[in-house]
Structures are given as structure tokens and as C-alpha cells.
Amino acid sequence: MHNFIKGLPKAELHLHIEGTLEPELMFTLAKKNEVELPFASVEDVRAAYEFDDLQSFLDIYYQGAAVLITESDFAELMSEYLERAIADGVRHAEIFFDPQTHSERGVDIGTVIGGFRKAQAEFADSISTSLILCFLRHLPPHAAVDTFEAARPYLDDIMGLGLDSSEVGNPPERFVEAYALGRDAGLRLVAHAGEEAGPDYVWAALDVLGAERIDHGVRAEDDPELVERLVREQIPLTMCPLSNQELQVVPDLRDHNLKRLLDRGVKVTINSDDPAYFGGYVAENYAMAATALGLTRTEVGRIARNSIEASFVDDERKAELLTELDQYLASHEVH
Ligand code: HPA
Ligand code: ZN
């Protein structure tokens, strides 16, 4: 199954680039940029990756991101991710970034995007990519609006808007103004919802923000009417099994609702979220879910198809990716 999964053409739609910062690169950049880390060694960092919940992860994740300063740092971060994604069969990636994590440290959004664009161009023959700007929901709504305005000169390089960070107590409604600006500018809209907070956050992400995909959406299952809507409107969920396991959203993967939702007809996808922190890139997420939930090759193929269909690529690229997937499945006698 593992080799089948690695070769399977797929799209990754829920990936925080800051969450791909491996401890080795963290240390290299900390040294170069003379940033102090609260860890003595790479082993120390890995030992600190024991999370009780989303917040305990975010505290460490924001500390790690402090080593990213120059354009070349952001380019290196992106290059390392793209190499790993390509090795995992990712043919298209829509990549989250958190400009506020960097602007708060005095790093300009142009530096961040400039670095990403270099790496994206370098790997463009092997993987198509786009950027999704995420607002940090623990910061005030006006900060999101300011961030959008700071990003305005770079909108040609940005596919969409997202919403991440501490979910409970920071409902989607707070960000209606920033999302309206994005919609008016022609951006695609997604939002994290139903990771730790309940189905009401998913409803609000859809109805108040106009989100076209829901990132996580695990808790949507608590509301049968919501599940019906996800099926009827084929609203994709970008699920992240290893993240859910590590952040105790679903402590035992065998209890994950990904397969139940797939069986119900929800457009479920599998993604890696913050792979440097949760112990696996996207192929590992597919493999762990397949083992824990007993997914067949046909089901795994369907999840890969969902990922391509749920992506925001243009019709021509989408058709190309679907053809590649069909050929792969046919050559492996998967129907
Ligand atoms: N949830 C919320 N915020 C995040 C996440 C997540 O899974 N990863 C990085 N920021
Ligand atoms: Zn996420």
C-alpha cells in the first residue's frame, strides 16, 4: 500500500508552510540569523513535540517560525517542502502561509512571498503550486484587514484566503470584513473550522465567510443536517489524520470519522497540516489512515481524486491531473 500511495498522483490542500520547518533547518537558520531558540539540540526539539491540544502546538510552532528572517530563508523552507511533496506524489499543492507570524517580527510580507515564489518557480516543472494567505484568528479582526491591505500589491501571487490558529473563542464571524475584501478581489476562500470547535463554526465559515472548502471539519459530524449539506453541495473537507491524532482531536486514529464521512458521500481529502511537527508528510497521512481505517486501494484512489477535484487549479490543469490519476489507477488495476 505504501508504494502505491507514494506514486499516487494527488493534490495537497491543507499544508502550513511554517509547519514544514524541520528541526535541522530551524537550527541552521537560528545560528545564521542569531536567533535564540528555547531548545539545546535537534533532539531536544523533537522531544518537545508532545501536544495536549491545538494551543500547546501553536505555542511551539510560533517559536520555531521566529528563525525565518530573510527571503532566502523562506525560499529554503519552501524548497525543502516541495522536494518532500514531490517525493510523496503531490502534483499540485495549495500552500498556507501566515504573514502575521512574520510581520509581528518586522519581516515584510514582500520578503516572505518573494522567497516562496523563487522556490515555487524552481520546482514548477514537477509540481504546480499556489499560495493561500491565512489570517491568525487569535489576533483582532482589524489586524486581518490590515494584513489584507499589506498583501494587496502581491495579490497576483495569492490564490486565496484562509483562517487558522486558536479556534475556540475566535469564531469565523469576526473575520467577515477581511473575507469580503478577499472576495471582492477575486480570491478563493477557505477556513479552518470544526477542528476543536463545534459544527456552528463550520456553518459560520460557509454562510458568513463564504468558505468554499473547510479545513479539518472533523466536528461537522456532530450535526447531521450539516453533513447532509456537505454531501449535497459537495463541499470538500481537507482532513489531516496525523495532526488530529497528535493534537488529541482524535487520539486514536481508528476512531477517525474520515471513512464514515467518505462513506456518507462527503468530499473528503487527506493532507499533512504541519508535517514537521506531526511526524509525517502527506503519503504518511494516507498510509496511517489507510491502516487504521482499513481503506481499500479504491477508497484511497477516490480520496486522491477528491483532492484534485477540490483544488482551485484551472480546468486545463485539473483535466491533466485527473488523466494522470486515471492512468495510474488503471495501471494498478484499481477501479
Ligand atoms: N489549526 C489551526 N491553526 C493552525 C494549524 C491547525 O491545524 N496548523 C497551523 N496553524
Ligand atoms: Zn491547518
mmCIF file with all atom_site columns, all heavy atoms in Angstrom, residues 14 16 19 54 57-58 61-62 98 136-137 163-167 192 195 216 243 247 273-274 278, ligand 1:
data_model
loop_
_atom_site.group_PDB
_atom_site.id
_atom_site.type_symbol
_atom_site.label_atom_id
_atom_site.label_alt_id
_atom_site.label_comp_id
_atom_site.label_asym_id
_atom_site.label_entity_id
_atom_site.label_seq_id
_atom_site.pdbx_PDB_ins_code
_atom_site.Cartn_x
_atom_site.Cartn_y
_atom_site.Cartn_z
_atom_site.occupancy
_atom_site.B_iso_or_equiv
_atom_site.pdbx_formal_charge
_atom_site.auth_seq_id
_atom_site.auth_comp_id
_atom_site.auth_asym_id
_atom_site.auth_atom_id
_atom_site.pdbx_PDB_model_num
ATOM   1   N N   . HIS A 1 14  ? -4.069  21.277 2.342  1.00 0.00 ? 14  HIS A N   1
ATOM   2   C CA  . HIS A 1 14  ? -4.052  21.780 3.716  1.00 0.00 ? 14  HIS A CA  1
ATOM   3   C C   . HIS A 1 14  ? -2.654  21.567 4.272  1.00 0.00 ? 14  HIS A C   1
ATOM   4   O O   . HIS A 1 14  ? -2.347  20.516 4.847  1.00 0.00 ? 14  HIS A O   1
ATOM   5   C CB  . HIS A 1 14  ? -5.121  21.057 4.550  1.00 0.00 ? 14  HIS A CB  1
ATOM   6   C CG  . HIS A 1 14  ? -5.253  21.568 5.956  1.00 0.00 ? 14  HIS A CG  1
ATOM   7   N ND1 . HIS A 1 14  ? -6.391  21.367 6.710  1.00 0.00 ? 14  HIS A ND1 1
ATOM   8   C CD2 . HIS A 1 14  ? -4.415  22.276 6.741  1.00 0.00 ? 14  HIS A CD2 1
ATOM   9   C CE1 . HIS A 1 14  ? -6.234  21.922 7.911  1.00 0.00 ? 14  HIS A CE1 1
ATOM   10  N NE2 . HIS A 1 14  ? -5.028  22.473 7.949  1.00 0.00 ? 14  HIS A NE2 1
ATOM   11  N N   . HIS A 1 16  ? 0.496   24.003 6.059  1.00 0.00 ? 16  HIS A N   1
ATOM   12  C CA  . HIS A 1 16  ? 1.039   25.290 6.519  1.00 0.00 ? 16  HIS A CA  1
ATOM   13  C C   . HIS A 1 16  ? 2.534   25.263 6.266  1.00 0.00 ? 16  HIS A C   1
ATOM   14  O O   . HIS A 1 16  ? 3.234   24.415 6.851  1.00 0.00 ? 16  HIS A O   1
ATOM   15  C CB  . HIS A 1 16  ? 0.763   25.485 8.002  1.00 0.00 ? 16  HIS A CB  1
ATOM   16  C CG  . HIS A 1 16  ? -0.696  25.426 8.359  1.00 0.00 ? 16  HIS A CG  1
ATOM   17  N ND1 . HIS A 1 16  ? -1.475  26.555 8.496  1.00 0.00 ? 16  HIS A ND1 1
ATOM   18  C CD2 . HIS A 1 16  ? -1.530  24.369 8.564  1.00 0.00 ? 16  HIS A CD2 1
ATOM   19  C CE1 . HIS A 1 16  ? -2.722  26.196 8.802  1.00 0.00 ? 16  HIS A CE1 1
ATOM   20  N NE2 . HIS A 1 16  ? -2.786  24.873 8.842  1.00 0.00 ? 16  HIS A NE2 1
ATOM   21  N N   . GLY A 1 19  ? 4.710   25.041 9.072  1.00 0.00 ? 19  GLY A N   1
ATOM   22  C CA  . GLY A 1 19  ? 4.638   23.741 9.731  1.00 0.00 ? 19  GLY A CA  1
ATOM   23  C C   . GLY A 1 19  ? 5.497   22.684 9.060  1.00 0.00 ? 19  GLY A C   1
ATOM   24  O O   . GLY A 1 19  ? 5.440   21.504 9.418  1.00 0.00 ? 19  GLY A O   1
ATOM   25  N N   . LEU A 1 54  ? -4.514  21.868 20.439 1.00 0.00 ? 54  LEU A N   1
ATOM   26  C CA  . LEU A 1 54  ? -4.061  22.792 19.394 1.00 0.00 ? 54  LEU A CA  1
ATOM   27  C C   . LEU A 1 54  ? -3.159  23.884 19.969 1.00 0.00 ? 54  LEU A C   1
ATOM   28  O O   . LEU A 1 54  ? -2.108  24.193 19.422 1.00 0.00 ? 54  LEU A O   1
ATOM   29  C CB  . LEU A 1 54  ? -5.297  23.409 18.696 1.00 0.00 ? 54  LEU A CB  1
ATOM   30  C CG  . LEU A 1 54  ? -5.038  24.507 17.658 1.00 0.00 ? 54  LEU A CG  1
ATOM   31  C CD1 . LEU A 1 54  ? -4.147  24.023 16.526 1.00 0.00 ? 54  LEU A CD1 1
ATOM   32  C CD2 . LEU A 1 54  ? -6.379  25.018 17.095 1.00 0.00 ? 54  LEU A CD2 1
ATOM   33  N N   . PHE A 1 57  ? 0.462   23.069 20.700 1.00 0.00 ? 57  PHE A N   1
ATOM   34  C CA  . PHE A 1 57  ? 1.231   23.005 19.455 1.00 0.00 ? 57  PHE A CA  1
ATOM   35  C C   . PHE A 1 57  ? 1.552   24.411 18.949 1.00 0.00 ? 57  PHE A C   1
ATOM   36  O O   . PHE A 1 57  ? 2.707   24.720 18.612 1.00 0.00 ? 57  PHE A O   1
ATOM   37  C CB  . PHE A 1 57  ? 0.460   22.212 18.386 1.00 0.00 ? 57  PHE A CB  1
ATOM   38  C CG  . PHE A 1 57  ? 0.822   22.597 16.982 1.00 0.00 ? 57  PHE A CG  1
ATOM   39  C CD1 . PHE A 1 57  ? 2.071   22.273 16.466 1.00 0.00 ? 57  PHE A CD1 1
ATOM   40  C CD2 . PHE A 1 57  ? -0.065  23.309 16.184 1.00 0.00 ? 57  PHE A CD2 1
ATOM   41  C CE1 . PHE A 1 57  ? 2.426   22.661 15.174 1.00 0.00 ? 57  PHE A CE1 1
ATOM   42  C CE2 . PHE A 1 57  ? 0.285   23.697 14.907 1.00 0.00 ? 57  PHE A CE2 1
ATOM   43  C CZ  . PHE A 1 57  ? 1.538   23.370 14.394 1.00 0.00 ? 57  PHE A CZ  1
ATOM   44  N N   . LEU A 1 58  ? 0.541   25.272 18.907 1.00 0.00 ? 58  LEU A N   1
ATOM   45  C CA  . LEU A 1 58  ? 0.740   26.613 18.336 1.00 0.00 ? 58  LEU A CA  1
ATOM   46  C C   . LEU A 1 58  ? 1.838   27.374 19.083 1.00 0.00 ? 58  LEU A C   1
ATOM   47  O O   . LEU A 1 58  ? 2.638   28.086 18.466 1.00 0.00 ? 58  LEU A O   1
ATOM   48  C CB  . LEU A 1 58  ? -0.579  27.404 18.362 1.00 0.00 ? 58  LEU A CB  1
ATOM   49  C CG  . LEU A 1 58  ? -1.667  26.911 17.396 1.00 0.00 ? 58  LEU A CG  1
ATOM   50  C CD1 . LEU A 1 58  ? -2.999  27.620 17.685 1.00 0.00 ? 58  LEU A CD1 1
ATOM   51  C CD2 . LEU A 1 58  ? -1.267  27.111 15.933 1.00 0.00 ? 58  LEU A CD2 1
ATOM   52  N N   . TYR A 1 61  ? 5.030   26.134 17.663 1.00 0.00 ? 61  TYR A N   1
ATOM   53  C CA  . TYR A 1 61  ? 5.074   26.420 16.213 1.00 0.00 ? 61  TYR A CA  1
ATOM   54  C C   . TYR A 1 61  ? 5.449   27.883 15.960 1.00 0.00 ? 61  TYR A C   1
ATOM   55  O O   . TYR A 1 61  ? 6.277   28.189 15.105 1.00 0.00 ? 61  TYR A O   1
ATOM   56  C CB  . TYR A 1 61  ? 3.713   26.034 15.686 1.00 0.00 ? 61  TYR A CB  1
ATOM   57  C CG  . TYR A 1 61  ? 3.213   26.509 14.361 1.00 0.00 ? 61  TYR A CG  1
ATOM   58  C CD1 . TYR A 1 61  ? 3.576   25.860 13.178 1.00 0.00 ? 61  TYR A CD1 1
ATOM   59  C CD2 . TYR A 1 61  ? 2.275   27.545 14.287 1.00 0.00 ? 61  TYR A CD2 1
ATOM   60  C CE1 . TYR A 1 61  ? 3.035   26.249 11.970 1.00 0.00 ? 61  TYR A CE1 1
ATOM   61  C CE2 . TYR A 1 61  ? 1.727   27.936 13.081 1.00 0.00 ? 61  TYR A CE2 1
ATOM   62  C CZ  . TYR A 1 61  ? 2.119   27.289 11.922 1.00 0.00 ? 61  TYR A CZ  1
ATOM   63  O OH  . TYR A 1 61  ? 1.571   27.669 10.723 1.00 0.00 ? 61  TYR A OH  1
ATOM   64  N N   . TYR A 1 62  ? 4.893   28.804 16.726 1.00 0.00 ? 62  TYR A N   1
ATOM   65  C CA  . TYR A 1 62  ? 5.229   30.223 16.538 1.00 0.00 ? 62  TYR A CA  1
ATOM   66  C C   . TYR A 1 62  ? 6.667   30.507 16.997 1.00 0.00 ? 62  TYR A C   1
ATOM   67  O O   . TYR A 1 62  ? 7.363   31.314 16.382 1.00 0.00 ? 62  TYR A O   1
ATOM   68  C CB  . TYR A 1 62  ? 4.211   31.126 17.249 1.00 0.00 ? 62  TYR A CB  1
ATOM   69  C CG  . TYR A 1 62  ? 2.811   31.036 16.657 1.00 0.00 ? 62  TYR A CG  1
ATOM   70  C CD1 . TYR A 1 62  ? 1.687   30.838 17.449 1.00 0.00 ? 62  TYR A CD1 1
ATOM   71  C CD2 . TYR A 1 62  ? 2.619   31.133 15.272 1.00 0.00 ? 62  TYR A CD2 1
ATOM   72  C CE1 . TYR A 1 62  ? 0.414   30.735 16.897 1.00 0.00 ? 62  TYR A CE1 1
ATOM   73  C CE2 . TYR A 1 62  ? 1.348   31.028 14.711 1.00 0.00 ? 62  TYR A CE2 1
ATOM   74  C CZ  . TYR A 1 62  ? 0.247   30.834 15.530 1.00 0.00 ? 62  TYR A CZ  1
ATOM   75  O OH  . TYR A 1 62  ? -1.007  30.722 14.973 1.00 0.00 ? 62  TYR A OH  1
ATOM   76  N N   . ASP A 1 98  ? 1.291   32.250 6.937  1.00 0.00 ? 98  ASP A N   1
ATOM   77  C CA  . ASP A 1 98  ? 0.779   33.129 8.000  1.00 0.00 ? 98  ASP A CA  1
ATOM   78  C C   . ASP A 1 98  ? 1.575   34.430 8.022  1.00 0.00 ? 98  ASP A C   1
ATOM   79  O O   . ASP A 1 98  ? 2.513   34.561 8.815  1.00 0.00 ? 98  ASP A O   1
ATOM   80  C CB  . ASP A 1 98  ? 0.962   32.456 9.380  1.00 0.00 ? 98  ASP A CB  1
ATOM   81  C CG  . ASP A 1 98  ? 0.079   31.248 9.625  1.00 0.00 ? 98  ASP A CG  1
ATOM   82  O OD1 . ASP A 1 98  ? -0.968  31.122 8.989  1.00 0.00 ? 98  ASP A OD1 1
ATOM   83  O OD2 . ASP A 1 98  ? 0.451   30.424 10.498 1.00 0.00 ? 98  ASP A OD2 1
ATOM   84  N N   . LEU A 1 136 ? -4.476  35.053 11.213 1.00 0.00 ? 136 LEU A N   1
ATOM   85  C CA  . LEU A 1 136 ? -4.399  34.439 12.549 1.00 0.00 ? 136 LEU A CA  1
ATOM   86  C C   . LEU A 1 136 ? -5.633  34.872 13.334 1.00 0.00 ? 136 LEU A C   1
ATOM   87  O O   . LEU A 1 136 ? -5.808  36.058 13.620 1.00 0.00 ? 136 LEU A O   1
ATOM   88  C CB  . LEU A 1 136 ? -3.121  34.879 13.264 1.00 0.00 ? 136 LEU A CB  1
ATOM   89  C CG  . LEU A 1 136 ? -1.800  34.457 12.612 1.00 0.00 ? 136 LEU A CG  1
ATOM   90  C CD1 . LEU A 1 136 ? -0.615  34.928 13.461 1.00 0.00 ? 136 LEU A CD1 1
ATOM   91  C CD2 . LEU A 1 136 ? -1.728  32.941 12.419 1.00 0.00 ? 136 LEU A CD2 1
ATOM   92  N N   . ARG A 1 137 ? -6.472  33.907 13.690 1.00 0.00 ? 137 ARG A N   1
ATOM   93  C CA  . ARG A 1 137 ? -7.771  34.256 14.283 1.00 0.00 ? 137 ARG A CA  1
ATOM   94  C C   . ARG A 1 137 ? -7.667  34.648 15.752 1.00 0.00 ? 137 ARG A C   1
ATOM   95  O O   . ARG A 1 137 ? -8.639  35.160 16.309 1.00 0.00 ? 137 ARG A O   1
ATOM   96  C CB  . ARG A 1 137 ? -8.761  33.107 14.069 1.00 0.00 ? 137 ARG A CB  1
ATOM   97  C CG  . ARG A 1 137 ? -8.444  31.860 14.852 1.00 0.00 ? 137 ARG A CG  1
ATOM   98  C CD  . ARG A 1 137 ? -9.102  30.621 14.272 1.00 0.00 ? 137 ARG A CD  1
ATOM   99  N NE  . ARG A 1 137 ? -10.530 30.738 14.109 1.00 0.00 ? 137 ARG A NE  1
ATOM   100 C CZ  . ARG A 1 137 ? -11.269 29.923 13.335 1.00 0.00 ? 137 ARG A CZ  1
ATOM   101 N NH1 . ARG A 1 137 ? -10.671 28.947 12.655 1.00 0.00 ? 137 ARG A NH1 1
ATOM   102 N NH2 . ARG A 1 137 ? -12.561 30.056 13.253 1.00 0.00 ? 137 ARG A NH2 1
ATOM   103 N N   . LEU A 1 163 ? -8.086  30.868 7.269  1.00 0.00 ? 163 LEU A N   1
ATOM   104 C CA  . LEU A 1 163 ? -8.189  31.331 8.658  1.00 0.00 ? 163 LEU A CA  1
ATOM   105 C C   . LEU A 1 163 ? -7.651  30.217 9.545  1.00 0.00 ? 163 LEU A C   1
ATOM   106 O O   . LEU A 1 163 ? -8.134  29.081 9.470  1.00 0.00 ? 163 LEU A O   1
ATOM   107 C CB  . LEU A 1 163 ? -9.670  31.597 8.966  1.00 0.00 ? 163 LEU A CB  1
ATOM   108 C CG  . LEU A 1 163 ? -10.038 32.193 10.329 1.00 0.00 ? 163 LEU A CG  1
ATOM   109 C CD1 . LEU A 1 163 ? -9.431  33.579 10.503 1.00 0.00 ? 163 LEU A CD1 1
ATOM   110 C CD2 . LEU A 1 163 ? -11.564 32.279 10.444 1.00 0.00 ? 163 LEU A CD2 1
ATOM   111 N N   . ASP A 1 164 ? -6.626  30.547 10.365 1.00 0.00 ? 164 ASP A N   1
ATOM   112 C CA  . ASP A 1 164 ? -6.060  29.491 11.216 1.00 0.00 ? 164 ASP A CA  1
ATOM   113 C C   . ASP A 1 164 ? -5.711  30.023 12.591 1.00 0.00 ? 164 ASP A C   1
ATOM   114 O O   . ASP A 1 164 ? -6.129  31.121 12.951 1.00 0.00 ? 164 ASP A O   1
ATOM   115 C CB  . ASP A 1 164 ? -4.863  28.809 10.518 1.00 0.00 ? 164 ASP A CB  1
ATOM   116 C CG  . ASP A 1 164 ? -3.694  29.753 10.271 1.00 0.00 ? 164 ASP A CG  1
ATOM   117 O OD1 . ASP A 1 164 ? -3.737  30.901 10.726 1.00 0.00 ? 164 ASP A OD1 1
ATOM   118 O OD2 . ASP A 1 164 ? -2.728  29.326 9.603  1.00 0.00 ? 164 ASP A OD2 1
ATOM   119 N N   . SER A 1 165 ? -4.981  29.229 13.365 1.00 0.00 ? 165 SER A N   1
ATOM   120 C CA  . SER A 1 165 ? -4.617  29.494 14.768 1.00 0.00 ? 165 SER A CA  1
ATOM   121 C C   . SER A 1 165 ? -5.755  29.099 15.716 1.00 0.00 ? 165 SER A C   1
ATOM   122 O O   . SER A 1 165 ? -6.629  28.321 15.325 1.00 0.00 ? 165 SER A O   1
ATOM   123 C CB  . SER A 1 165 ? -4.183  30.952 14.955 1.00 0.00 ? 165 SER A CB  1
ATOM   124 O OG  . SER A 1 165 ? -3.588  31.095 16.232 1.00 0.00 ? 165 SER A OG  1
ATOM   125 N N   . SER A 1 166 ? -5.740  29.651 16.934 1.00 0.00 ? 166 SER A N   1
ATOM   126 C CA  . SER A 1 166 ? -6.606  29.161 18.033 1.00 0.00 ? 166 SER A CA  1
ATOM   127 C C   . SER A 1 166 ? -8.097  29.301 17.698 1.00 0.00 ? 166 SER A C   1
ATOM   128 O O   . SER A 1 166 ? -8.595  30.422 17.590 1.00 0.00 ? 166 SER A O   1
ATOM   129 C CB  . SER A 1 166 ? -6.314  29.957 19.307 1.00 0.00 ? 166 SER A CB  1
ATOM   130 O OG  . SER A 1 166 ? -4.930  30.217 19.404 1.00 0.00 ? 166 SER A OG  1
ATOM   131 N N   . GLU A 1 167 ? -8.778  28.168 17.582 1.00 0.00 ? 167 GLU A N   1
ATOM   132 C CA  . GLU A 1 167 ? -10.144 28.213 17.042 1.00 0.00 ? 167 GLU A CA  1
ATOM   133 C C   . GLU A 1 167 ? -11.199 28.587 18.081 1.00 0.00 ? 167 GLU A C   1
ATOM   134 O O   . GLU A 1 167 ? -11.998 29.513 17.841 1.00 0.00 ? 167 GLU A O   1
ATOM   135 C CB  . GLU A 1 167 ? -10.493 26.858 16.398 1.00 0.00 ? 167 GLU A CB  1
ATOM   136 C CG  . GLU A 1 167 ? -11.865 26.891 15.713 1.00 0.00 ? 167 GLU A CG  1
ATOM   137 C CD  . GLU A 1 167 ? -12.260 25.557 15.106 1.00 0.00 ? 167 GLU A CD  1
ATOM   138 O OE1 . GLU A 1 167 ? -11.604 24.537 15.388 1.00 0.00 ? 167 GLU A OE1 1
ATOM   139 O OE2 . GLU A 1 167 ? -13.256 25.554 14.360 1.00 0.00 ? 167 GLU A OE2 1
ATOM   140 N N   . HIS A 1 192 ? -10.285 27.224 8.389  1.00 0.00 ? 192 HIS A N   1
ATOM   141 C CA  . HIS A 1 192 ? -10.254 26.143 9.372  1.00 0.00 ? 192 HIS A CA  1
ATOM   142 C C   . HIS A 1 192 ? -11.553 26.239 10.182 1.00 0.00 ? 192 HIS A C   1
ATOM   143 O O   . HIS A 1 192 ? -11.904 27.326 10.664 1.00 0.00 ? 192 HIS A O   1
ATOM   144 C CB  . HIS A 1 192 ? -9.093  26.306 10.342 1.00 0.00 ? 192 HIS A CB  1
ATOM   145 C CG  . HIS A 1 192 ? -7.757  25.891 9.808  1.00 0.00 ? 192 HIS A CG  1
ATOM   146 N ND1 . HIS A 1 192 ? -7.217  26.389 8.654  1.00 0.00 ? 192 HIS A ND1 1
ATOM   147 C CD2 . HIS A 1 192 ? -6.843  25.008 10.303 1.00 0.00 ? 192 HIS A CD2 1
ATOM   148 C CE1 . HIS A 1 192 ? -6.026  25.836 8.456  1.00 0.00 ? 192 HIS A CE1 1
ATOM   149 N NE2 . HIS A 1 192 ? -5.771  24.992 9.446  1.00 0.00 ? 192 HIS A NE2 1
ATOM   150 N N   . GLU A 1 195 ? -12.265 21.948 13.941 1.00 0.00 ? 195 GLU A N   1
ATOM   151 C CA  . GLU A 1 195 ? -11.108 21.161 14.389 1.00 0.00 ? 195 GLU A CA  1
ATOM   152 C C   . GLU A 1 195 ? -11.293 20.907 15.892 1.00 0.00 ? 195 GLU A C   1
ATOM   153 O O   . GLU A 1 195 ? -11.383 19.767 16.330 1.00 0.00 ? 195 GLU A O   1
ATOM   154 C CB  . GLU A 1 195 ? -9.795  21.914 14.111 1.00 0.00 ? 195 GLU A CB  1
ATOM   155 C CG  . GLU A 1 195 ? -8.546  21.146 14.546 1.00 0.00 ? 195 GLU A CG  1
ATOM   156 C CD  . GLU A 1 195 ? -7.243  21.930 14.318 1.00 0.00 ? 195 GLU A CD  1
ATOM   157 O OE1 . GLU A 1 195 ? -7.305  23.152 14.090 1.00 0.00 ? 195 GLU A OE1 1
ATOM   158 O OE2 . GLU A 1 195 ? -6.163  21.303 14.397 1.00 0.00 ? 195 GLU A OE2 1
ATOM   159 N N   . HIS A 1 216 ? -10.105 20.824 8.030  1.00 0.00 ? 216 HIS A N   1
ATOM   160 C CA  . HIS A 1 216 ? -10.448 19.886 9.111  1.00 0.00 ? 216 HIS A CA  1
ATOM   161 C C   . HIS A 1 216 ? -11.918 19.491 8.998  1.00 0.00 ? 216 HIS A C   1
ATOM   162 O O   . HIS A 1 216 ? -12.247 18.552 8.312  1.00 0.00 ? 216 HIS A O   1
ATOM   163 C CB  . HIS A 1 216 ? -10.103 20.419 10.512 1.00 0.00 ? 216 HIS A CB  1
ATOM   164 C CG  . HIS A 1 216 ? -8.638  20.548 10.756 1.00 0.00 ? 216 HIS A CG  1
ATOM   165 N ND1 . HIS A 1 216 ? -7.791  19.473 10.714 1.00 0.00 ? 216 HIS A ND1 1
ATOM   166 C CD2 . HIS A 1 216 ? -7.869  21.632 11.043 1.00 0.00 ? 216 HIS A CD2 1
ATOM   167 C CE1 . HIS A 1 216 ? -6.547  19.893 10.968 1.00 0.00 ? 216 HIS A CE1 1
ATOM   168 N NE2 . HIS A 1 216 ? -6.575  21.186 11.156 1.00 0.00 ? 216 HIS A NE2 1
ATOM   169 N N   . SER A 1 243 ? -2.303  15.042 12.258 1.00 0.00 ? 243 SER A N   1
ATOM   170 C CA  . SER A 1 243 ? -2.491  16.252 13.062 1.00 0.00 ? 243 SER A CA  1
ATOM   171 C C   . SER A 1 243 ? -3.562  16.008 14.119 1.00 0.00 ? 243 SER A C   1
ATOM   172 O O   . SER A 1 243 ? -3.369  16.310 15.297 1.00 0.00 ? 243 SER A O   1
ATOM   173 C CB  . SER A 1 243 ? -2.911  17.407 12.145 1.00 0.00 ? 243 SER A CB  1
ATOM   174 O OG  . SER A 1 243 ? -3.426  18.482 12.883 1.00 0.00 ? 243 SER A OG  1
ATOM   175 N N   . LEU A 1 247 ? -2.738  16.227 18.076 1.00 0.00 ? 247 LEU A N   1
ATOM   176 C CA  . LEU A 1 247 ? -3.348  17.316 18.866 1.00 0.00 ? 247 LEU A CA  1
ATOM   177 C C   . LEU A 1 247 ? -4.540  16.822 19.685 1.00 0.00 ? 247 LEU A C   1
ATOM   178 O O   . LEU A 1 247 ? -5.295  17.628 20.233 1.00 0.00 ? 247 LEU A O   1
ATOM   179 C CB  . LEU A 1 247 ? -3.748  18.483 17.956 1.00 0.00 ? 247 LEU A CB  1
ATOM   180 C CG  . LEU A 1 247 ? -2.601  19.104 17.146 1.00 0.00 ? 247 LEU A CG  1
ATOM   181 C CD1 . LEU A 1 247 ? -3.053  20.353 16.415 1.00 0.00 ? 247 LEU A CD1 1
ATOM   182 C CD2 . LEU A 1 247 ? -1.399  19.412 18.030 1.00 0.00 ? 247 LEU A CD2 1
ATOM   183 N N   . ASP A 1 273 ? -1.070  19.067 7.036  1.00 0.00 ? 273 ASP A N   1
ATOM   184 C CA  . ASP A 1 273 ? -1.193  20.158 8.014  1.00 0.00 ? 273 ASP A CA  1
ATOM   185 C C   . ASP A 1 273 ? 0.167   20.767 8.367  1.00 0.00 ? 273 ASP A C   1
ATOM   186 O O   . ASP A 1 273 ? 0.565   21.767 7.778  1.00 0.00 ? 273 ASP A O   1
ATOM   187 C CB  . ASP A 1 273 ? -1.941  19.674 9.268  1.00 0.00 ? 273 ASP A CB  1
ATOM   188 C CG  . ASP A 1 273 ? -2.707  20.798 9.978  1.00 0.00 ? 273 ASP A CG  1
ATOM   189 O OD1 . ASP A 1 273 ? -2.733  21.925 9.441  1.00 0.00 ? 273 ASP A OD1 1
ATOM   190 O OD2 . ASP A 1 273 ? -3.276  20.545 11.054 1.00 0.00 ? 273 ASP A OD2 1
ATOM   191 N N   . ASP A 1 274 ? 0.861   20.176 9.354  1.00 0.00 ? 274 ASP A N   1
ATOM   192 C CA  . ASP A 1 274 ? 2.170   20.684 9.807  1.00 0.00 ? 274 ASP A CA  1
ATOM   193 C C   . ASP A 1 274 ? 3.119   19.496 9.938  1.00 0.00 ? 274 ASP A C   1
ATOM   194 O O   . ASP A 1 274 ? 3.450   19.071 11.051 1.00 0.00 ? 274 ASP A O   1
ATOM   195 C CB  . ASP A 1 274 ? 2.013   21.386 11.169 1.00 0.00 ? 274 ASP A CB  1
ATOM   196 C CG  . ASP A 1 274 ? 1.020   22.535 11.094 1.00 0.00 ? 274 ASP A CG  1
ATOM   197 O OD1 . ASP A 1 274 ? 1.402   23.596 10.572 1.00 0.00 ? 274 ASP A OD1 1
ATOM   198 O OD2 . ASP A 1 274 ? -0.127  22.360 11.533 1.00 0.00 ? 274 ASP A OD2 1
ATOM   199 N N   . PHE A 1 278 ? 4.102   16.879 13.176 1.00 0.00 ? 278 PHE A N   1
ATOM   200 C CA  . PHE A 1 278 ? 3.170   15.787 13.469 1.00 0.00 ? 278 PHE A CA  1
ATOM   201 C C   . PHE A 1 278 ? 3.669   14.426 13.006 1.00 0.00 ? 278 PHE A C   1
ATOM   202 O O   . PHE A 1 278 ? 2.947   13.434 13.075 1.00 0.00 ? 278 PHE A O   1
ATOM   203 C CB  . PHE A 1 278 ? 1.788   16.083 12.858 1.00 0.00 ? 278 PHE A CB  1
ATOM   204 C CG  . PHE A 1 278 ? 1.184   17.384 13.362 1.00 0.00 ? 278 PHE A CG  1
ATOM   205 C CD1 . PHE A 1 278 ? 0.407   18.179 12.529 1.00 0.00 ? 278 PHE A CD1 1
ATOM   206 C CD2 . PHE A 1 278 ? 1.381   17.793 14.671 1.00 0.00 ? 278 PHE A CD2 1
ATOM   207 C CE1 . PHE A 1 278 ? -0.149  19.367 12.994 1.00 0.00 ? 278 PHE A CE1 1
ATOM   208 C CE2 . PHE A 1 278 ? 0.821   18.984 15.146 1.00 0.00 ? 278 PHE A CE2 1
ATOM   209 C CZ  . PHE A 1 278 ? 0.051   19.776 14.304 1.00 0.00 ? 278 PHE A CZ  1
HETATM 210 N N1  . HPA B 2 .   ? -5.165  24.567 13.173 1.00 0.00 ? 1   HPA B N1  1
HETATM 211 C C1  . HPA B 2 .   ? -5.144  25.863 13.429 1.00 0.00 ? 1   HPA B C1  1
HETATM 212 N N2  . HPA B 2 .   ? -4.084  26.611 13.178 1.00 0.00 ? 1   HPA B N2  1
HETATM 213 C C2  . HPA B 2 .   ? -3.003  26.056 12.650 1.00 0.00 ? 1   HPA B C2  1
HETATM 214 C C3  . HPA B 2 .   ? -2.974  24.716 12.374 1.00 0.00 ? 1   HPA B C3  1
HETATM 215 C C4  . HPA B 2 .   ? -4.118  23.927 12.631 1.00 0.00 ? 1   HPA B C4  1
HETATM 216 O O1  . HPA B 2 .   ? -4.189  22.711 12.410 1.00 0.00 ? 1   HPA B O1  1
HETATM 217 N N3  . HPA B 2 .   ? -1.738  24.467 11.862 1.00 0.00 ? 1   HPA B N3  1
HETATM 218 C C5  . HPA B 2 .   ? -1.078  25.624 11.828 1.00 0.00 ? 1   HPA B C5  1
HETATM 219 N N4  . HPA B 2 .   ? -1.837  26.602 12.310 1.00 0.00 ? 1   HPA B N4  1
#
